[in-house]
Amino acid sequence: MKRRKELSEEDLDLIRNKVTEDEALEKLFKDCCLRNLRPAAIEYYMNEFYATKKMLKKDLVDIKQEDIEEFIVRSKTQISITTINTRLRALRAFYNYLKKNKLISTNPMKNIKLLRDRQK
C-alpha cells in the first residue's frame, strides 16, 4: 500500500465530526434502549464508565490503548481482578459501538484482553 500525504475522506470526516463524550454516551444509551436492554444493564454501563473516567481523569472518547493499560496496572493494587474485568467489558462494549458507528477512528480496546482470574 502506497503512503499518501493527505488523509482519506473517511479520516477527514472523523476529524471534522469529533464526537464529545456526552454525545457518545447519549448515542450508546439510546442504542441500549432501542435494543431493549434492561435498566440494570444501562445503569451498569453508567457506573463502570464513571468509575473508569474518575480513575483515568480523561474523557472516555480521548482514551488511548496506553491509558487502558495504565488503568489495568494501577487498578490491580486497588480493586479485584473481577472488578477490573467488569470495567473492561463495559469499555469494550462502548468502544465497539463507537467504532461500528464510525464515531472513532481506532478502538483502544482492540488489543486489550481480560485478566486471568486465578482460582484459589
Side-chain angles (χ1 to χ4, degrees), residues 22-64:
D22 290 338
E23 291 169 336
L25 290 172
E26 185 178 318
K27 288 175 188 255
L28 174 70
F29 293 135
K30 180 180 177 185
D31 182 64
C32 289
C33 289
L34 291 171
R35 289 186 295 136
N36 201 28
L37 293 186
R38 292 183 192 148
I42 296 170
E43 187 177 335
Y44 149 74
Y45 283 136
M46 287 173 51
N47 291 337
E48 299 309 324
F49 296 152
Y50 175 75
T52 304
K53 182 180 174 168
K54 186 176 170 186
M55 187 172 244
L56 288 173
K57 298 177 177 83
K58 265 187 160 181
D59 276 352
L60 293 174
V61 293
D62 296 328
I63 289 175
K64 307 265 183 275

Side-chain angles (χ1 to χ4, degrees), residues 39-88:
I42 296 170
E43 187 177 335
Y44 149 74
Y45 283 136
M46 287 173 51
N47 291 337
E48 299 309 324
F49 296 152
Y50 175 75
T52 304
K53 182 180 174 168
K54 186 176 170 186
M55 187 172 244
L56 288 173
K57 298 177 177 83
K58 265 187 160 181
D59 276 352
L60 293 174
V61 293
D62 296 328
I63 289 175
K64 307 265 183 275
Q65 180 176 331
E66 298 81 35
D67 299 319
I68 295 169
E69 290 167 352
E70 177 189 329
F71 162 75
I72 293 169
V73 170
R74 246 190 310 152
S75 296
K76 284 172 121 178
T77 61
Q78 300 171 1
I79 55 180
S80 74
I81 299 296
T82 304
T83 304
I84 295 170
N85 283 340
T86 300
R87 294 200 177 140
L88 292 176

